[in-house]
């Protein structure tokens, strides 16, 4: 086969790969925006963007789709490429879904402590697991596996912010504003999210500025994460002892390349116990369980809501329901698991339940 013909075959494969992802998007519905009435705060409306309703159960579905399209259109992935990712779980679940859609081998490099149901979900979608004992080595191990297999390290932590279409294309921010259009306060005072790669906050923060909305962006960050320290001084980039947070998906020991502090208006550090308490109270209120990072988001929202109410302000807040609680049934929803880690969550649950008026 000549080089031209070989290139043509690759291009035909690429066309089909992109078509499959676009067709999947075309068949999918948008995620719901849930209004959570707050009887104690009649002037403030709180909304949850329910990212758990994606086919692979979390906001990482959007990221995985964008990362695959970016890598495909850069010609970094071909028909025989093994795709490798460093992931605490959720991204790998979504990427395994897209890799299978394209008929590609997929390997997830995960910390050995990752919740078992997430590993099951990765395998369910046809992915392979490569567990490492030290979470800080996931990047290097993923890179090494890529070299060894002649594959591609898709690298969410580097490419999340640039693979996502931040100006529109129904990204999470554009979707939120469209769904808020008929609400009492259609332009939220605040959008609150977490940071794992930092991709979601970068997309929302840029979109707010591009569309010239007055909305401010708050990132809720686990106490033992480097992001909020870096936000405060722009200097600290690494926690030498690693990340001591147990909230999966958010809070990192190093400032990831996709974390864009300049588009964030405020960061609120949240203790793990408060994330868990808020998660538990919200799950009771919704009648279905949510994940830990959703609790982190809610805890930060309640702080802003109290400040707004105290200042006599009215308005709306939007935050993210990042994933469901099923994946944490053996961890955050087990009292013994939490007690073994000295996570005293009951007071935060009581406070949250009172604030939600439930
Ligand atoms: C990844 C993740 C986040 C944070 O999103 P990023 O866009 O990566 O910053 C929050 N919650 C969960 C459950 C996640 O998996």
């Amino acid at each position: 086969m000549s080089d031209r013909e070989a290139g043509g075959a690759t291009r035909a494969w690429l066309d089909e790969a992109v078509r499959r992802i676009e067709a999947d998007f075309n068949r999918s519905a948008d995620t719901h925006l849930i209004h959570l009435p707050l009887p104690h705060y009649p002037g403030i409306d709180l909304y949850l963007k329910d990212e758990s309703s994606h086919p692979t159960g979390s906001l990482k579905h959007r990221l995985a789709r964008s990362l695959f399209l970016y890598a495909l259109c850069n010609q970094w992935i071909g028909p025989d490429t093994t795709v490798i990712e460093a992931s605490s779980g959720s991204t790998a679940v979504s990427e395994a879904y897209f890799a299978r859609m394209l008929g590609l081998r997929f390997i997830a490099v995960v910390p050995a402590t990752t919740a078992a149901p997430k590993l099951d979900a990765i395998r369910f979608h046809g992915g392979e697991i490569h567990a490492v004992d030290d979470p800080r080595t996931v990047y290097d191990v993923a890179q090494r596996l890529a070299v060894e297999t002649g594959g591609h390290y898709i690298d969410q932590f580097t490419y999340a912010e640039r693979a996502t279409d931040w100006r529109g294309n129904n990204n999470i921010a554009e979707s939120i504003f469209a769904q808020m259009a008929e609400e009492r306060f259609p332009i939220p005072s605040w959008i609150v999210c977490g940071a794992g790669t930092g991709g979601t906050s970068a997309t929302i923060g840029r979109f707010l500025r591009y569309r010239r909305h007055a909305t401010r962006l708050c990132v809720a960050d686990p106490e033992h994460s480097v992001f909020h320290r870096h936000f405060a001084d722009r200097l600290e980039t690494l926690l030498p002892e690693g990340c001591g947070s147990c909230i999966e998906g958010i809070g990192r020991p190093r400032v990831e390349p996709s974390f864009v502090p300049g588009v964030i208006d405020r960061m609120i550090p949240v203790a793990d116990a408060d994330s868990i308490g808020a998660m538990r109270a919200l799950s009771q209120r919704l009648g279905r369980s949510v994940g830990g990072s959703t609790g982190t988001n809610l805890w930060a929202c309640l702080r802003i809501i109290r400040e707004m109410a105290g200042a006599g302000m009215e308005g709306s807040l939007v935050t993210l329901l990042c994933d469901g609680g099923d994946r944490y049934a053996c961890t955050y929803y087990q009292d013994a698991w939490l007690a073994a880690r000295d996570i005293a969550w009951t007071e935060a649950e009581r406070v949250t339940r009172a604030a939600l008026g439930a």
Side-chain angles (χ1 to χ4, degrees), residues 2-171:
S2 75
D3 283 357
R4 281 258 295 284
E5 284 167 336
T10 306
R11 188 63 176 265
W13 181 85
L14 174 63
D15 289 351
E16 173 61 11
V18 172
R19 186 199 65 76
R20 286 186 193 184
I21 294 176
E22 290 292 281
D24 182 70
F25 179 61
N26 226 19
R27 292 190 302 268
S28 301
D30 203 346
T31 60
H32 301 292
L33 188 66
I34 300 168
H35 179 209
L36 198 70
L38 301 172
H40 300 315
Y41 302 98
I44 299 175
D45 291 335
L46 177 62
Y47 300 84
L48 300 165
K49 179 70 168 156
D50 183 7
E51 295 291 291
S52 74
S53 61
H54 287 293
T56 56
S58 81
L59 79 175
K60 291 304 189 320
H61 197 79
R62 293 180 191 271
L63 174 62
R65 182 193 293 128
S66 296
L67 287 171
F68 266 91
L69 286 173
Y70 191 68
L72 284 164
C73 295
N74 283 327
Q75 300 262 194
W76 291 341
I77 293 178
D80 303 314
T81 307
T82 296
V83 178
I84 296 139
E85 182 62 289
S87 169
S88 67
S90 289
T91 304
V93 175
S94 302
E95 287 169 342
Y97 169 92
F98 286 102
R100 171 177 271 175
M101 184 184 292
L102 306 182
L104 300 173
R105 182 181 178 206
F106 177 75
I107 305 172
V109 179
V110 303
T113 52
T114 303
K118 275 192 188 169
L119 303 182
D120 292 343
I122 295 167
R123 292 198 192 93
F124 174 80
H125 290 293
E128 299 166 37
I129 306 290
H130 186 104
V132 298
D133 290 329
D134 182 349
R136 287 170 293 183
T137 63
V138 290
Y139 320 98
D140 291 344
V141 173
Q143 184 58 56
R144 199 194 71 218
L145 281 178
V147 171
E148 284 171 12
T149 60
H152 176 65
Y153 169 28
I154 196 161
D155 195 357
Q156 58 169 335
F157 293 107
T158 298
Y159 295 108
E161 57 88 7
R162 70 193 81 161
T164 304
D165 295 321
W166 56 271
R167 284 181 291 182
N169 201 8
N170 201 42
N171 68 36

Side-chain angles (χ1 to χ4, degrees), residues 293-310:
S293 68
T294 304
T296 314
N297 288 344
L298 178 62
W299 188 260
C301 284
L302 292 178
R303 171 121 150 234
I304 295 173
I305 287 167
R306 276 191 294 268
E307 290 173 4
M308 286 174 66

Side-chain angles (χ1 to χ4, degrees), residues 193-257:
C193 69
T197 63
T200 303
S201 53
T203 299
I204 295 172
R206 288 167 175 165
F207 183 89
L208 294 176
R209 284 154 181 81
Y210 177 61
R211 293 289 172 97
R212 289 160 278 151
H213 290 308
T215 308
R216 282 177 289 170
L217 173 64
C218 172
V219 170
D221 198 31
E223 230 173 22
H224 300 287
S225 165
V226 77
F227 286 137
H228 65 89
R229 295 159 216 262
H230 182 75
F231 179 76
D233 65 10
R234 295 293 204 277
L235 293 172
E236 198 162 345
T237 56
L238 203 63
L239 295 182
E241 72 279 20
C243 184
S245 166
C246 75
I247 307 299
E248 283 188 36
I250 57 169
R252 300 291 304 169
R254 71 164 198 185
V255 176
E256 303 297 347

